[in-house]
Amino acid sequence: MRVRFLDTRPLRHSRPFRDLWIGTSVSQLGGQVANVAVLAQVWDLTGSPVGTGAIGLATGLPVVLFGLLGGTLADTVDRRALVRATTAGQLLAAAGLCAQSLAGNRNVLLLFALVAAMAGCGALGAPARRTLPVRLLPGDQLAAGLALTNVSFQAAMLAGPALAGLLIARWDLPAAYAVQAVAMAAAVLAVVRLPAVPPEGAGAAGGRRRARRGGWCVVLRRPTLRGTMLTDLSATLLAMPVALFPVVNEVRFGGDPRTLGLFLSAVAVGGITAGLLSGTVTRLRRAGLVQLVAAAVWGLALAGFGLAGPLWLALSCLAAAGAADTVSVVTRNALVQRVTPDAFRGRVSSVEHVVGVAGPELGNLRGGLVASATSATFSLVTGGLAAALAVAAVAATHAPLRAHRAPPTGDEPTALGVAGAAAPPGKMP
């Protein structure tokens, strides 16, 4: 039975990974608290789903602009140093958010600018951060390590909104932003002890030439990578519900702020449940097929949320979507890191980060615009069904993704921080 539950070997066997996991987990909790605060502040300032949808634009554009640059840097400089510097930048942005709230800011553009700064710093360091687990863990523990990271994210989604609601209700918005600033300070301290992680082959002339190639070129030329990115983009760009939560809550449930928190928590409950049972998923070798099925379930579950009347049914649909999202993210991350040689991991990870973050944020913008022109129900239902159909189209046109099999356990190289050796570049399928 133990193989069905969460595999915690990475936390026990690798101190560097444990430090990375702690820093990431703390920053994610603070980020979720701040997300609710930003959503509440923008809704208070604008009272419009277009306004809350514009949060996605403020986040998505910096991710696209700085995420790709971060990928190039991750393949040319020490990845540890890049993670440290960008985490410190996020700390400064978090302090700015707290300061504007304390000053009683009523300018939504200033709020968006600080949100964009936070997103830009995160995007610059995300590719380097994403490449670390594959270097810090042995191959047979990589998927388990990614599952642990996803579980901590889902736990932050569960606890963060509830904590934000309590803080805002008792001490108003500055308290929520202050929690994020403290969390980012703790995250900086957590990554200080990471070992140096230079990219493989960065000093060679060939490595420098490879560094000039963009991650998009690598992804577009490999059907497995292209298919997994398109699957995630199809699901998130067409079916993201977060920007619509305030209007759905207002129209169906009387605008109770506790219900708004329940929406976010329901997604997290589903994600955590799937994460705690992720031992089965992380041991499956057909990662591409698993991701395709999970992404389709995500779209259908959100279409169900759009039609759900009773609160219990709406929350159930969101929980199902959260579980599907966890399965899709864990399998995608492991697949991308396994099939990408280390010399290209930074840039390919930057593409994955752009797709994984900008896709949902732009999807929120799409949802807000469609809801403004029609209704939240129409936006949710059509978006969810369109996402499921788009995923089916990706499955039909990308046979290598459907057929992809992970290597048998033990075939992958030793990891840095476990036996002192770095994983050499492999071959892309």
XYZ file of all heavy atoms in Angstrom, residues 127-219:
661
model
N 13.160 29.173 -14.283
C 13.813 28.106 -15.054
C 14.965 27.458 -14.293
O 15.110 26.228 -14.302
C 14.300 28.831 -16.314
C 13.373 29.987 -16.464
C 13.087 30.427 -15.061
N 15.790 28.273 -13.623
C 16.888 27.704 -12.841
C 16.348 26.855 -11.695
O 16.852 25.758 -11.420
C 17.769 28.833 -12.290
N 15.306 27.345 -11.020
C 14.721 26.590 -9.914
C 14.152 25.258 -10.397
O 14.271 24.230 -9.714
C 13.625 27.424 -9.246
C 13.061 26.834 -7.982
C 11.968 27.725 -7.413
N 12.496 28.967 -6.879
C 12.896 29.128 -5.624
N 12.823 28.107 -4.779
N 13.337 30.288 -5.207
N 13.545 25.255 -11.583
C 12.938 24.036 -12.109
C 13.980 22.985 -12.468
O 13.686 21.784 -12.466
C 12.100 24.356 -13.347
C 10.751 24.991 -13.054
C 10.083 25.448 -14.332
N 8.767 25.998 -14.069
C 7.633 25.317 -14.179
N 7.661 24.059 -14.553
N 6.477 25.896 -13.917
N 15.195 23.414 -12.818
C 16.228 22.448 -13.203
C 16.929 21.826 -12.005
O 17.690 20.867 -12.164
C 17.295 23.123 -14.082
O 17.996 24.107 -13.308
C 16.689 23.758 -15.315
N 16.708 22.345 -10.807
C 17.461 21.872 -9.650
C 17.099 20.455 -9.199
O 17.996 19.674 -8.880
C 17.310 22.858 -8.488
C 17.918 24.251 -8.726
C 17.696 25.131 -7.502
C 19.389 24.162 -9.056
N 15.806 20.072 -9.130
C 15.509 18.727 -8.629
C 16.190 17.613 -9.408
O 16.658 16.636 -8.802
C 13.979 18.643 -8.755
C 13.523 20.055 -8.620
C 14.573 20.862 -9.318
N 16.284 17.731 -10.718
C 16.895 16.659 -11.506
C 18.396 16.544 -11.235
O 18.991 15.487 -11.441
C 16.630 16.884 -13.011
C 17.459 18.010 -13.575
C 16.866 15.587 -13.802
N 19.005 17.627 -10.731
C 20.417 17.594 -10.377
C 20.638 17.230 -8.908
O 21.750 16.837 -8.531
C 21.049 18.963 -10.658
C 21.095 19.357 -12.134
C 22.199 18.638 -12.885
N 23.496 19.013 -12.380
C 24.174 20.102 -12.769
N 23.639 20.926 -13.673
N 25.356 20.370 -12.264
N 19.637 17.389 -8.086
C 19.782 17.138 -6.658
C 19.273 15.764 -6.236
O 19.511 15.350 -5.101
C 19.023 18.213 -5.854
C 19.455 19.667 -6.076
C 18.559 20.612 -5.275
C 20.915 19.869 -5.701
N 18.568 15.072 -7.136
C 17.955 13.792 -6.794
C 18.384 12.708 -7.773
O 18.636 12.988 -8.955
C 16.425 13.909 -6.829
C 15.776 14.819 -5.787
C 14.292 14.985 -6.097
C 15.963 14.241 -4.383
N 18.449 11.439 -7.319
C 18.651 10.336 -8.262
C 17.441 10.192 -9.168
O 16.332 10.616 -8.814
C 18.820 9.117 -7.347
C 18.152 9.491 -6.076
C 18.330 10.976 -5.927
N 17.649 9.608 -10.331
C 16.599 9.552 -11.347
C 15.315 8.917 -10.885
O 14.225 9.379 -11.243
N 15.403 7.870 -10.051
C 14.185 7.177 -9.648
C 13.403 7.938 -8.580
O 12.311 7.524 -8.201
C 14.502 5.758 -9.158
C 15.368 5.742 -7.908
O 16.125 6.719 -7.713
O 15.290 4.770 -7.149
N 13.955 9.073 -8.092
C 13.238 9.892 -7.112
C 12.777 11.224 -7.693
O 12.167 12.022 -6.981
C 14.126 10.157 -5.889
C 14.456 8.913 -5.079
C 15.277 9.227 -3.846
O 15.258 10.343 -3.329
N 16.018 8.238 -3.356
N 13.050 11.475 -8.981
C 12.710 12.773 -9.567
C 11.210 13.036 -9.536
O 10.762 14.088 -9.069
C 13.226 12.854 -11.005
C 12.816 14.114 -11.777
C 13.335 15.363 -11.085
C 13.307 14.033 -13.216
N 10.413 12.089 -10.039
C 8.968 12.299 -10.058
C 8.419 12.461 -8.650
O 7.520 13.271 -8.404
C 8.272 11.137 -10.772
N 8.985 11.710 -7.692
C 8.544 11.835 -6.302
C 8.868 13.226 -5.760
O 8.065 13.828 -5.039
C 9.204 10.766 -5.447
N 10.052 13.748 -6.095
C 10.411 15.091 -5.645
C 9.493 16.142 -6.226
O 9.087 17.089 -5.527
N 9.142 16.003 -7.513
C 8.222 16.947 -8.139
C 6.827 16.830 -7.535
O 6.116 17.827 -7.402
C 8.185 16.713 -9.649
C 9.504 16.970 -10.379
C 9.393 16.581 -11.848
C 9.928 18.421 -10.250
N 6.438 15.600 -7.171
C 5.144 15.417 -6.515
C 5.127 16.107 -5.156
O 4.128 16.728 -4.767
C 4.827 13.936 -6.366
N 6.236 16.024 -4.406
C 6.319 16.708 -3.118
C 6.195 18.220 -3.290
O 5.517 18.895 -2.511
C 7.647 16.369 -2.441
C 7.749 14.975 -1.814
C 9.202 14.631 -1.526
C 6.924 14.904 -0.534
N 6.842 18.750 -4.326
C 6.749 20.185 -4.589
C 5.318 20.576 -4.924
O 4.816 21.620 -4.472
C 7.685 20.561 -5.751
O 9.032 20.242 -5.379
C 7.600 22.047 -6.065
N 4.651 19.736 -5.706
C 3.270 20.048 -6.063
C 2.342 19.949 -4.858
O 1.424 20.760 -4.708
C 2.786 19.125 -7.179
C 1.467 19.563 -7.764
O 0.408 19.131 -7.323
N 1.524 20.452 -8.741
N 2.593 18.981 -3.978
C 1.767 18.853 -2.773
C 1.923 20.086 -1.896
O 0.944 20.604 -1.335
C 2.143 17.580 -1.994
C 1.579 17.615 -0.577
C 1.612 16.347 -2.712
N 3.155 20.599 -1.788
C 3.347 21.803 -0.980
C 2.626 22.992 -1.600
O 2.091 23.851 -0.892
C 4.841 22.108 -0.816
O 5.415 22.579 -2.019
N 2.593 23.037 -2.931
C 1.857 24.102 -3.608
C 0.361 23.985 -3.321
O -0.318 24.980 -3.039
C 2.118 24.046 -5.104
C 1.254 24.983 -5.912
C 1.460 26.343 -5.875
C 0.217 24.491 -6.692
C 0.664 27.215 -6.607
C -0.585 25.343 -7.426
C -0.371 26.711 -7.381
N -0.164 22.760 -3.415
C -1.579 22.556 -3.147
C -1.911 22.844 -1.682
O -2.981 23.395 -1.371
C -1.981 21.125 -3.508
C -1.809 20.763 -4.973
C -2.736 21.539 -5.878
O -3.716 22.128 -5.427
N -2.444 21.550 -7.177
N -0.990 22.493 -0.780
C -1.210 22.810 0.633
C -1.244 24.319 0.841
O -2.048 24.840 1.629
C -0.110 22.182 1.484
N -0.380 25.037 0.109
C -0.399 26.499 0.188
C -1.707 27.050 -0.369
O -2.264 28.014 0.169
C 0.790 27.076 -0.584
N -2.222 26.437 -1.427
C -3.507 26.859 -1.978
C -4.642 26.630 -0.996
O -5.612 27.389 -0.955
C -3.802 26.119 -3.284
C -3.076 26.653 -4.497
S -3.682 25.893 -6.023
C -5.368 26.509 -6.051
N -4.518 25.568 -0.205
C -5.559 25.262 0.778
C -5.473 26.196 1.977
O -6.474 26.784 2.401
C -5.419 23.808 1.240
C -6.410 23.333 2.297
C -7.837 23.427 1.781
C -6.085 21.909 2.725
N -4.260 26.342 2.510
C -4.099 27.143 3.723
C -4.033 28.637 3.422
O -4.517 29.455 4.218
C -2.830 26.712 4.466
N -3.440 29.002 2.284
C -3.231 30.408 1.966
C -4.506 31.232 1.898
O -4.612 32.273 2.577
N -5.503 30.826 1.092
C -6.736 31.611 1.033
C -7.450 31.719 2.379
O -7.977 32.784 2.723
C -7.585 30.844 0.015
C -6.592 30.137 -0.836
C -5.487 29.753 0.091
N -7.473 30.618 3.127
C -8.123 30.664 4.439
C -7.389 31.628 5.366
O -8.007 32.430 6.077
C -8.164 29.261 5.051
N -6.058 31.552 5.360
C -5.267 32.462 6.182
C -5.464 33.900 5.730
O -5.609 34.808 6.558
C -3.790 32.074 6.103
C -2.801 32.967 6.857
C -3.134 33.006 8.345
C -1.371 32.465 6.636
N -5.498 34.110 4.412
C -5.706 35.462 3.883
C -7.054 36.022 4.324
O -7.165 37.192 4.714
C -5.609 35.453 2.360
N -8.090 35.184 4.271
C -9.411 35.637 4.688
C -9.435 36.074 6.135
O -10.023 37.111 6.480
N -8.782 35.292 7.004
C -8.736 35.650 8.416
C -7.957 36.950 8.633
O -8.371 37.825 9.403
C -8.083 34.513 9.212
C -8.891 33.207 9.308
C -8.060 32.124 9.984
C -10.190 33.436 10.066
N -6.817 37.063 7.950
C -5.981 38.252 8.115
C -6.694 39.511 7.624
O -6.664 40.560 8.277
C -4.664 38.071 7.364
C -3.695 37.033 7.933
C -2.557 36.771 6.952
C -3.131 37.490 9.265
N -7.334 39.410 6.448
C -8.007 40.574 5.871
C -9.210 40.977 6.729
O -9.470 42.160 6.944
C -8.427 40.279 4.415
C -7.179 40.118 3.542
C -9.307 41.397 3.866
C -7.473 39.609 2.150
N -9.940 39.959 7.221
C -11.113 40.259 8.038
C -10.728 40.927 9.353
O -11.440 41.818 9.844
C -11.896 38.980 8.306
N -9.589 40.528 9.920
C -9.216 41.041 11.242
C -8.351 42.300 11.167
O -8.529 43.244 11.940
C -8.477 39.951 12.028
C -8.209 40.327 13.473
C -7.662 39.140 14.247
N -7.373 39.474 15.632
C -8.263 39.480 16.622
N -9.517 39.170 16.361
N -7.903 39.785 17.856
N -7.365 42.297 10.244
C -6.398 43.405 10.205
C -6.324 44.096 8.841
O -5.451 44.913 8.614
C -5.005 42.908 10.592
C -4.917 42.465 12.011
C -4.982 43.246 13.126
C -4.738 41.122 12.490
N -4.849 42.489 14.258
C -4.689 41.172 13.901
C -4.596 39.881 11.870
C -4.528 40.042 14.684
C -4.422 38.748 12.642
C -4.408 38.834 14.032
N -7.164 43.701 7.902
C -7.236 44.306 6.575
C -6.051 43.861 5.701
O -5.227 43.047 6.092
C -7.312 45.833 6.653
C -8.144 46.418 5.517
O -8.494 45.677 4.583
O -8.448 47.624 5.556
N -5.977 44.420 4.494
C -5.030 43.969 3.473
C -3.560 44.044 3.883
O -2.771 43.156 3.513
C -5.245 44.771 2.186
C -6.574 44.526 1.461
C -6.764 45.548 0.350
C -6.631 43.117 0.900
N -3.091 45.088 4.585
C -1.660 45.143 4.917
C -1.147 43.906 5.636
O 0.000 43.503 5.440
C -1.562 46.393 5.808
C -2.679 47.258 5.355
C -3.802 46.306 5.033
N -1.981 43.284 6.460
C -1.533 42.093 7.186
C -1.246 40.949 6.230
O -0.259 40.214 6.399
C -2.594 41.679 8.204
N -2.096 40.776 5.218
C -1.872 39.710 4.242
C -0.586 39.949 3.454
O 0.211 39.021 3.230
C -3.062 39.616 3.293
N -0.374 41.191 3.026
C 0.853 41.492 2.293
C 2.091 41.349 3.184
O 3.164 40.948 2.715
C 0.785 42.905 1.722
C -0.189 43.061 0.576
C -1.191 44.022 0.623
C -0.097 42.251 -0.547
C -2.084 44.172 -0.430
C -0.991 42.398 -1.606
C -1.975 43.358 -1.540
O -2.863 43.496 -2.590
N 1.959 41.649 4.465
C 3.085 41.497 5.387
C 3.475 40.034 5.536
O 4.668 39.704 5.626
C 2.729 42.093 6.751
N 2.489 39.146 5.556
C 2.783 37.710 5.636
C 3.593 37.268 4.421
O 4.544 36.490 4.535
C 1.477 36.899 5.752
C 1.737 35.422 5.491
C 0.870 37.087 7.135
N 3.229 37.781 3.241
C 4.002 37.422 2.055
C 5.449 37.916 2.179
O 6.394 37.197 1.812
C 3.375 38.008 0.800
C 4.100 37.553 -0.461
C 3.771 38.391 -1.680
O 3.429 39.569 -1.566
N 3.875 37.791 -2.858
N 5.647 39.128 2.658
C 6.999 39.661 2.788
C 7.834 38.818 3.755
O 9.003 38.504 3.483
C 6.940 41.113 3.266
N 7.236 38.419 4.883
C 7.954 37.567 5.841
C 8.273 36.216 5.215
O 9.367 35.665 5.389
C 7.121 37.393 7.125
C 7.746 36.352 8.049
C 6.985 38.728 7.855
N 7.320 35.661 4.461
C 7.543 34.366 3.814
C 8.682 34.439 2.799
O 9.506 33.522 2.703
C 6.259 33.902 3.132
N 8.757 35.532 2.036
C 9.830 35.664 1.060
C 11.183 35.822 1.744
O 12.207 35.325 1.245
C 9.561 36.847 0.134
C 8.375 36.663 -0.805
S 8.377 35.097 -1.725
C 9.994 35.117 -2.473
N 11.220 36.492 2.895
C 12.471 36.597 3.647
C 12.932 35.209 4.097
O 14.125 34.872 4.021
C 12.281 37.522 4.846
N 11.988 34.397 4.566
C 12.331 33.032 4.965
C 12.793 32.211 3.770
O 13.697 31.367 3.885
C 11.127 32.369 5.631
N 12.191 32.437 2.601
C 12.585 31.712 1.399
C 14.009 32.045 0.999
O 14.760 31.170 0.541
C 11.620 32.038 0.263
N 14.402 33.308 1.143
C 15.785 33.690 0.836
C 16.750 32.928 1.736
O 17.770 32.394 1.281
C 15.973 35.217 1.005
C 17.445 35.584 0.895
C 15.175 35.975 -0.047
N 16.446 32.860 3.024
C 17.311 32.146 3.964
C 17.387 30.651 3.636
O 18.431 30.020 3.807
C 16.796 32.336 5.389
C 16.855 33.768 5.938
C 16.225 33.821 7.324
C 18.293 34.273 5.985
N 16.280 30.091 3.149
C 16.235 28.648 2.887
C 17.106 28.236 1.712
O 17.591 27.099 1.671
C 14.792 28.213 2.646
N 17.306 29.125 0.732
C 18.086 28.741 -0.445
C 19.561 29.085 -0.311
O 20.356 28.802 -1.213
C 17.516 29.395 -1.726
C 16.096 28.937 -1.970
C 17.592 30.928 -1.661
N 19.953 29.669 0.817
C 21.354 30.055 0.999
C 22.276 28.835 0.988
O 23.402 28.893 0.479
C 21.509 30.851 2.320
C 22.975 30.970 2.720
C 20.898 32.231 2.165
N 21.806 27.713 1.542
C 22.689 26.547 1.691
C 22.742 25.649 0.467
O 23.409 24.618 0.499
C 22.230 25.720 2.894
C 22.357 26.424 4.226
C 22.381 25.431 5.371
N 21.233 24.527 5.362
C 21.155 23.414 6.116
N 22.157 23.084 6.897
N 20.066 22.668 6.074
N 22.077 26.010 -0.606
C 22.110 25.153 -1.789
C 23.529 25.046 -2.331
O 24.290 26.024 -2.301
C 21.195 25.710 -2.875
C 19.690 25.663 -2.608
C 18.951 26.315 -3.763
C 19.229 24.221 -2.436
N 23.931 23.882 -2.866
C 25.261 23.755 -3.468
C 25.312 24.459 -4.812
O 24.267 24.745 -5.421
C 25.408 22.237 -3.646
C 24.006 21.753 -3.826
C 23.155 22.626 -2.930
N 26.511 24.752 -5.271
C 26.672 25.335 -6.604
C 26.149 24.353 -7.645
O 26.408 23.156 -7.575
C 28.136 25.655 -6.864
N 25.394 24.874 -8.607
C 24.821 24.011 -9.654
C 25.087 24.663 -11.011
O 24.192 25.230 -11.631
C 23.309 23.792 -9.448
C 22.779 22.739 -10.432
C 22.999 23.363 -8.022
N 26.344 24.599 -11.491
C 26.626 25.151 -12.821
C 26.010 24.274 -13.898
O 25.914 23.055 -13.734
C 28.155 25.114 -12.892
C 28.542 23.984 -11.989
C 27.526 24.000 -10.865
N 25.561 24.849 -15.010
C 25.014 24.029 -16.097
C 26.091 23.166 -16.720
O 27.254 23.564 -16.796
C 24.473 25.065 -17.092
C 25.253 26.306 -16.799
C 25.531 26.285 -15.324
N 25.741 21.982 -17.136
C 26.690 21.075 -17.767
C 27.196 21.666 -19.072
O 26.428 22.116 -19.911
C 26.030 19.724 -18.053
C 25.704 18.922 -16.818
C 26.941 18.366 -16.150
O 27.961 18.223 -16.847
O 26.887 18.094 -14.944
N 28.525 21.652 -19.263
C 29.108 22.091 -20.522
C 29.059 23.577 -20.746
O 29.295 24.053 -21.855
N 28.769 24.375 -19.700
C 28.615 25.817 -19.901
C 29.907 26.486 -20.303
O 29.909 27.501 -20.991
C 28.084 26.469 -18.615
N 31.060 25.897 -19.911
C 32.315 26.552 -20.213
C 32.867 26.235 -21.580
O 33.805 26.880 -22.046
N 32.334 25.229 -22.259
C 32.855 24.834 -23.554
C 32.307 25.730 -24.640
O 31.247 26.325 -24.518
C 32.483 23.378 -23.840
N 33.079 25.811 -25.752
C 32.617 26.640 -26.870
C 31.303 26.133 -27.409
O 30.397 26.901 -27.750
C 33.680 26.652 -27.971
N 31.172 24.813 -27.485
C 29.919 24.243 -27.959
C 28.777 24.581 -27.043
O 27.661 24.841 -27.486
N 29.064 24.613 -25.709
C 28.018 24.978 -24.767
C 27.589 26.409 -24.950
O 26.423 26.733 -24.845
N 28.567 27.316 -25.253
C 28.200 28.708 -25.474
C 27.370 28.868 -26.738
O 26.473 29.696 -26.801
C 29.460 29.570 -25.541
C 30.147 29.733 -24.193
C 31.179 30.830 -24.247
N 32.268 30.524 -25.165
C 33.368 29.872 -24.824
N 33.516 29.448 -23.577
N 34.325 29.639 -25.694
N 27.704 28.073 -27.771
C 26.895 28.141 -28.992
C 25.492 27.630 -28.731
O 24.504 28.193 -29.205
C 27.557 27.335 -30.116
C 28.779 27.996 -30.727
C 29.165 27.308 -32.024
N 29.548 25.920 -31.817
C 30.792 25.520 -31.557
N 31.768 26.416 -31.433
N 31.075 24.249 -31.397
N 25.390 26.553 -27.936
C 24.072 26.022 -27.621
C 23.253 27.014 -26.807
O 22.037 27.082 -26.920
C 24.188 24.704 -26.839
C 24.628 23.527 -27.681
C 24.406 22.239 -26.925
N 25.194 22.167 -25.706
C 26.405 21.646 -25.626
N 26.995 21.181 -26.705
N 27.055 21.608 -24.473
N 23.953 27.826 -25.984
C 23.243 28.781 -25.146
C 22.529 29.845 -25.960
O 21.636 30.512 -25.468
C 24.206 29.443 -24.163
N 22.952 30.011 -27.229
C 22.307 31.007 -28.064
C 21.043 30.466 -28.721
O 20.292 31.206 -29.335
C 23.291 31.517 -29.130
C 24.409 32.364 -28.553
C 25.140 33.118 -29.652
N 25.932 32.236 -30.488
C 27.211 31.958 -30.271
N 27.833 32.495 -29.236
N 27.879 31.164 -31.069
N 20.840 29.179 -28.662
C 19.624 28.601 -29.217
C 18.491 28.752 -28.217
O 18.657 28.493 -27.032
C 19.810 27.114 -29.535
C 20.951 26.822 -30.502
C 21.042 25.324 -30.702
N 22.310 24.939 -31.314
C 22.731 23.685 -31.413
N 21.994 22.710 -30.910
N 23.877 23.420 -31.980
N 17.340 29.141 -28.698
C 16.208 29.322 -27.810
C 15.553 28.016 -27.431
O 15.590 27.030 -28.181
N 14.922 28.017 -26.232
C 14.213 26.821 -25.796
C 13.046 26.482 -26.692
O 12.697 25.305 -26.855
N 12.425 27.520 -27.322
C 11.309 27.240 -28.217
C 11.739 26.357 -29.375
O 10.970 25.500 -29.826
C 10.722 28.548 -28.748
C 9.964 29.329 -27.730
C 10.365 30.453 -27.080
C 8.657 29.026 -27.216
N 9.402 30.882 -26.198
C 8.344 30.032 -26.260
C 7.732 28.010 -27.468
C 7.137 30.042 -25.566
C 6.535 28.033 -26.767
C 6.247 29.025 -25.836
N 12.963 26.565 -29.889
C 13.438 25.742 -31.004
C 13.531 24.283 -30.588
O 13.132 23.380 -31.333
C 14.804 26.240 -31.484
S 14.770 27.878 -32.236
N 14.065 24.045 -29.392
C 14.191 22.670 -28.902
C 12.811 22.044 -28.733
O 12.574 20.900 -29.123
C 14.962 22.652 -27.565
C 15.081 21.226 -27.030
C 16.340 23.269 -27.737
N 11.883 22.804 -28.154
C 10.546 22.268 -27.910
C 9.810 21.991 -29.211
O 9.200 20.925 -29.388
C 9.740 23.264 -27.036
C 8.274 22.872 -26.971
C 10.329 23.329 -25.631
